[in-house]
Amino acid sequence: MPRYLKGILADAESVPRPHRLQRRTRGFAAMGRLMPRAALDHSMRDEARQAERINRLFEDFDVLLTPATARPP
């Protein structure tokens, strides 16, 4: 979550007219401003361990299917 929200914040701050972003995007950027830098730093330090844990799935499986929508189409 820290990388997600801080990434949205960085992208929102890099556009020429951030006031023209969708309200939802501006809201996520605002949440990114509230996210402590320490949370992002912790997430970045833990990234390699998490990637190794997740990638172990593909030792036994070729495809990982996850839900994409809250309800059926």
Side-chain angles (χ1 to χ4, degrees):
M1 192 58 70
R3 289 197 70 180
Y4 178 74
L5 293 174
K6 288 293 192 181
I8 292 172
L9 173 61
D11 287 347
E13 289 177 341
S14 72
V15 298
R17 293 181 287 265
H19 64 279
R20 295 186 68 192
L21 293 170
Q22 289 183 350
R23 185 169 81 182
R24 179 184 311 192
T25 303
R26 290 192 314 267
F28 282 132
M31 286 189 274
R33 276 188 208 88
L34 297 173
M35 182 71 61
R37 177 64 196 204
L40 177 61
D41 293 342
H42 175 73
S43 176
M44 300 287 281
R45 278 192 308 270
D46 199 38
E47 182 176 324
R49 186 179 69 79
Q50 294 294 342
E52 182 182 331
R53 181 181 66 84
I54 292 166
N55 286 329
R56 265 188 254 129
L57 289 168
F58 296 104
E59 292 172 3
D60 298 319
F61 303 100
D62 294 325
V63 177
L64 177 65
L65 298 176
T66 62
T69 61
R71 45 189 167 154

